[in-house]
Amino acid sequence: MLTLPGRDLASARTARHYVRDTCRSWRLPTDTTDDFVAITGELVANALEHTESPTVVIACALTPGTATVGVTDDGRSGGTPVASPSAGGSEAGCEGGRGLLITDALATRWGTRRSGGGLTVWAEVAIEATS
């Protein structure tokens, strides 16, 4: 788990590096790592742009066949995602929300959950078995 400043745009870059290093330690395939890093960057950028959260927390988990990332903010000021978590949505014409459209395209599935006033946007990426 990594906690970063919520009002610092450099947090997205730091989060991407953290996730890339985590994926390497898990020995994930390069394509999976690239997707996971891109998703993380988009989710953190959304949290930085659409909330006034003083911190953003990045959590990664690895289970058989799946890698998951969650980005949590404190839920203040517009912390609700612009796009809905459904594949094939027609949100492409909306202002903003492209980060979640990218997430929707790269992730196996994604969603949101609220707890303790905070908002977590999470995404899963399937890990294909390597021969």
Side-chain angles (χ1 to χ4, degrees), residues 95-112:
E95 285 290 317
R98 287 188 182 100
L100 294 178
L101 292 174
I102 291 168
T103 298
D104 192 52
L106 296 176
T108 305
R109 66 187 191 122
W110 68 275
T112 63

PDB file of all heavy atoms in Angstrom, residues 95-112:
ATOM      1  N   GLU A  95     -17.695  15.110 -21.607  1.00  0.00           N
ATOM      2  CA  GLU A  95     -16.492  15.824 -21.206  1.00  0.00           C
ATOM      3  C   GLU A  95     -15.862  15.047 -20.074  1.00  0.00           C
ATOM      4  O   GLU A  95     -16.535  14.596 -19.166  1.00  0.00           O
ATOM      5  CB  GLU A  95     -16.854  17.234 -20.706  1.00  0.00           C
ATOM      6  CG  GLU A  95     -17.208  18.211 -21.800  1.00  0.00           C
ATOM      7  CD  GLU A  95     -15.995  18.598 -22.619  1.00  0.00           C
ATOM      8  OE1 GLU A  95     -14.929  18.850 -22.050  1.00  0.00           O
ATOM      9  OE2 GLU A  95     -16.129  18.651 -23.845  1.00  0.00           O
ATOM     10  N   GLY A  96     -14.573  14.879 -20.081  1.00  0.00           N
ATOM     11  CA  GLY A  96     -13.901  14.131 -19.026  1.00  0.00           C
ATOM     12  C   GLY A  96     -14.276  12.659 -19.093  1.00  0.00           C
ATOM     13  O   GLY A  96     -14.893  12.193 -20.038  1.00  0.00           O
ATOM     14  N   GLY A  97     -13.885  11.928 -18.075  1.00  0.00           N
ATOM     15  CA  GLY A  97     -14.243  10.523 -18.003  1.00  0.00           C
ATOM     16  C   GLY A  97     -13.425   9.609 -18.885  1.00  0.00           C
ATOM     17  O   GLY A  97     -13.651   8.415 -18.890  1.00  0.00           O
ATOM     18  N   ARG A  98     -12.495  10.144 -19.639  1.00  0.00           N
ATOM     19  CA  ARG A  98     -11.704   9.291 -20.531  1.00  0.00           C
ATOM     20  C   ARG A  98     -10.861   8.296 -19.761  1.00  0.00           C
ATOM     21  O   ARG A  98     -10.606   7.200 -20.232  1.00  0.00           O
ATOM     22  CB  ARG A  98     -10.830  10.137 -21.450  1.00  0.00           C
ATOM     23  CG  ARG A  98     -11.647  10.829 -22.513  1.00  0.00           C
ATOM     24  CD  ARG A  98     -10.757  11.505 -23.547  1.00  0.00           C
ATOM     25  NE  ARG A  98     -11.575  12.183 -24.511  1.00  0.00           N
ATOM     26  CZ  ARG A  98     -11.821  13.477 -24.514  1.00  0.00           C
ATOM     27  NH1 ARG A  98     -11.295  14.240 -23.580  1.00  0.00           N
ATOM     28  NH2 ARG A  98     -12.582  14.017 -25.431  1.00  0.00           N
ATOM     29  N   GLY A  99     -10.402   8.684 -18.579  1.00  0.00           N
ATOM     30  CA  GLY A  99      -9.608   7.769 -17.768  1.00  0.00           C
ATOM     31  C   GLY A  99     -10.378   6.509 -17.428  1.00  0.00           C
ATOM     32  O   GLY A  99      -9.832   5.410 -17.452  1.00  0.00           O
ATOM     33  N   LEU A 100     -11.658   6.655 -17.137  1.00  0.00           N
ATOM     34  CA  LEU A 100     -12.464   5.484 -16.828  1.00  0.00           C
ATOM     35  C   LEU A 100     -12.825   4.709 -18.082  1.00  0.00           C
ATOM     36  O   LEU A 100     -13.001   3.496 -18.032  1.00  0.00           O
ATOM     37  CB  LEU A 100     -13.701   5.884 -16.035  1.00  0.00           C
ATOM     38  CG  LEU A 100     -13.381   6.429 -14.639  1.00  0.00           C
ATOM     39  CD1 LEU A 100     -14.652   6.847 -13.915  1.00  0.00           C
ATOM     40  CD2 LEU A 100     -12.600   5.428 -13.818  1.00  0.00           C
ATOM     41  N   LEU A 101     -12.904   5.383 -19.210  1.00  0.00           N
ATOM     42  CA  LEU A 101     -13.119   4.654 -20.466  1.00  0.00           C
ATOM     43  C   LEU A 101     -11.885   3.817 -20.803  1.00  0.00           C
ATOM     44  O   LEU A 101     -12.007   2.679 -21.263  1.00  0.00           O
ATOM     45  CB  LEU A 101     -13.440   5.621 -21.603  1.00  0.00           C
ATOM     46  CG  LEU A 101     -14.788   6.344 -21.498  1.00  0.00           C
ATOM     47  CD1 LEU A 101     -14.923   7.385 -22.598  1.00  0.00           C
ATOM     48  CD2 LEU A 101     -15.937   5.360 -21.531  1.00  0.00           C
ATOM     49  N   ILE A 102     -10.712   4.374 -20.555  1.00  0.00           N
ATOM     50  CA  ILE A 102      -9.472   3.627 -20.766  1.00  0.00           C
ATOM     51  C   ILE A 102      -9.418   2.449 -19.786  1.00  0.00           C
ATOM     52  O   ILE A 102      -9.096   1.322 -20.169  1.00  0.00           O
ATOM     53  CB  ILE A 102      -8.244   4.548 -20.613  1.00  0.00           C
ATOM     54  CG1 ILE A 102      -8.197   5.540 -21.786  1.00  0.00           C
ATOM     55  CG2 ILE A 102      -6.950   3.730 -20.505  1.00  0.00           C
ATOM     56  CD1 ILE A 102      -7.219   6.672 -21.604  1.00  0.00           C
ATOM     57  N   THR A 103      -9.774   2.718 -18.539  1.00  0.00           N
ATOM     58  CA  THR A 103      -9.815   1.653 -17.539  1.00  0.00           C
ATOM     59  C   THR A 103     -10.770   0.555 -17.971  1.00  0.00           C
ATOM     60  O   THR A 103     -10.453  -0.634 -17.901  1.00  0.00           O
ATOM     61  CB  THR A 103     -10.231   2.219 -16.167  1.00  0.00           C
ATOM     62  OG1 THR A 103      -9.240   3.167 -15.753  1.00  0.00           O
ATOM     63  CG2 THR A 103     -10.381   1.132 -15.121  1.00  0.00           C
ATOM     64  N   ASP A 104     -11.946   0.937 -18.465  1.00  0.00           N
ATOM     65  CA  ASP A 104     -12.941  -0.034 -18.907  1.00  0.00           C
ATOM     66  C   ASP A 104     -12.405  -0.890 -20.053  1.00  0.00           C
ATOM     67  O   ASP A 104     -12.661  -2.084 -20.123  1.00  0.00           O
ATOM     68  CB  ASP A 104     -14.221   0.695 -19.329  1.00  0.00           C
ATOM     69  CG  ASP A 104     -15.382  -0.247 -19.520  1.00  0.00           C
ATOM     70  OD1 ASP A 104     -15.680  -1.043 -18.602  1.00  0.00           O
ATOM     71  OD2 ASP A 104     -16.007  -0.208 -20.599  1.00  0.00           O
ATOM     72  N   ALA A 105     -11.623  -0.275 -20.937  1.00  0.00           N
ATOM     73  CA  ALA A 105     -11.080  -1.003 -22.087  1.00  0.00           C
ATOM     74  C   ALA A 105      -9.967  -1.977 -21.671  1.00  0.00           C
ATOM     75  O   ALA A 105      -9.834  -3.051 -22.252  1.00  0.00           O
ATOM     76  CB  ALA A 105     -10.542  -0.024 -23.126  1.00  0.00           C
ATOM     77  N   LEU A 106      -9.169  -1.619 -20.667  1.00  0.00           N
ATOM     78  CA  LEU A 106      -8.011  -2.428 -20.286  1.00  0.00           C
ATOM     79  C   LEU A 106      -8.292  -3.440 -19.178  1.00  0.00           C
ATOM     80  O   LEU A 106      -7.661  -4.484 -19.116  1.00  0.00           O
ATOM     81  CB  LEU A 106      -6.858  -1.521 -19.839  1.00  0.00           C
ATOM     82  CG  LEU A 106      -6.272  -0.592 -20.903  1.00  0.00           C
ATOM     83  CD1 LEU A 106      -5.205   0.302 -20.278  1.00  0.00           C
ATOM     84  CD2 LEU A 106      -5.719  -1.376 -22.069  1.00  0.00           C
ATOM     85  N   ALA A 107      -9.225  -3.114 -18.298  1.00  0.00           N
ATOM     86  CA  ALA A 107      -9.491  -3.974 -17.143  1.00  0.00           C
ATOM     87  C   ALA A 107     -10.450  -5.105 -17.497  1.00  0.00           C
ATOM     88  O   ALA A 107     -11.292  -4.968 -18.383  1.00  0.00           O
ATOM     89  CB  ALA A 107     -10.082  -3.143 -16.008  1.00  0.00           C
ATOM     90  N   THR A 108     -10.302  -6.204 -16.797  1.00  0.00           N
ATOM     91  CA  THR A 108     -11.254  -7.298 -16.914  1.00  0.00           C
ATOM     92  C   THR A 108     -12.594  -6.856 -16.337  1.00  0.00           C
ATOM     93  O   THR A 108     -13.650  -7.127 -16.894  1.00  0.00           O
ATOM     94  CB  THR A 108     -10.731  -8.538 -16.150  1.00  0.00           C
ATOM     95  OG1 THR A 108      -9.427  -8.844 -16.639  1.00  0.00           O
ATOM     96  CG2 THR A 108     -11.648  -9.723 -16.327  1.00  0.00           C
ATOM     97  N   ARG A 109     -12.527  -6.151 -15.216  1.00  0.00           N
ATOM     98  CA  ARG A 109     -13.702  -5.525 -14.611  1.00  0.00           C
ATOM     99  C   ARG A 109     -13.221  -4.454 -13.660  1.00  0.00           C
ATOM    100  O   ARG A 109     -12.063  -4.462 -13.234  1.00  0.00           O
ATOM    101  CB  ARG A 109     -14.606  -6.537 -13.922  1.00  0.00           C
ATOM    102  CG  ARG A 109     -14.029  -7.215 -12.730  1.00  0.00           C
ATOM    103  CD  ARG A 109     -14.942  -8.332 -12.203  1.00  0.00           C
ATOM    104  NE  ARG A 109     -14.456  -8.759 -10.904  1.00  0.00           N
ATOM    105  CZ  ARG A 109     -15.166  -8.730  -9.790  1.00  0.00           C
ATOM    106  NH1 ARG A 109     -16.418  -8.335  -9.805  1.00  0.00           N
ATOM    107  NH2 ARG A 109     -14.642  -9.126  -8.647  1.00  0.00           N
ATOM    108  N   TRP A 110     -14.124  -3.511 -13.328  1.00  0.00           N
ATOM    109  CA  TRP A 110     -13.770  -2.454 -12.396  1.00  0.00           C
ATOM    110  C   TRP A 110     -15.043  -1.954 -11.739  1.00  0.00           C
ATOM    111  O   TRP A 110     -16.147  -2.260 -12.181  1.00  0.00           O
ATOM    112  CB  TRP A 110     -12.996  -1.321 -13.074  1.00  0.00           C
ATOM    113  CG  TRP A 110     -13.792  -0.500 -14.058  1.00  0.00           C
ATOM    114  CD1 TRP A 110     -14.008  -0.772 -15.378  1.00  0.00           C
ATOM    115  CD2 TRP A 110     -14.481   0.719 -13.793  1.00  0.00           C
ATOM    116  NE1 TRP A 110     -14.776   0.195 -15.946  1.00  0.00           N
ATOM    117  CE2 TRP A 110     -15.090   1.133 -14.993  1.00  0.00           C
ATOM    118  CE3 TRP A 110     -14.640   1.499 -12.654  1.00  0.00           C
ATOM    119  CZ2 TRP A 110     -15.852   2.304 -15.079  1.00  0.00           C
ATOM    120  CZ3 TRP A 110     -15.396   2.671 -12.753  1.00  0.00           C
ATOM    121  CH2 TRP A 110     -15.984   3.054 -13.960  1.00  0.00           C
ATOM    122  N   GLY A 111     -14.869  -1.188 -10.687  1.00  0.00           N
ATOM    123  CA  GLY A 111     -16.033  -0.644  -9.993  1.00  0.00           C
ATOM    124  C   GLY A 111     -15.611   0.317  -8.905  1.00  0.00           C
ATOM    125  O   GLY A 111     -14.443   0.719  -8.823  1.00  0.00           O
ATOM    126  N   THR A 112     -16.571   0.666  -8.080  1.00  0.00           N
ATOM    127  CA  THR A 112     -16.316   1.600  -6.982  1.00  0.00           C
ATOM    128  C   THR A 112     -16.924   1.042  -5.708  1.00  0.00           C
ATOM    129  O   THR A 112     -17.849   0.224  -5.748  1.00  0.00           O
ATOM    130  CB  THR A 112     -16.941   2.990  -7.256  1.00  0.00           C
ATOM    131  OG1 THR A 112     -18.364   2.852  -7.348  1.00  0.00           O
ATOM    132  CG2 THR A 112     -16.400   3.602  -8.537  1.00  0.00           C
TER     133      THR A 112
END
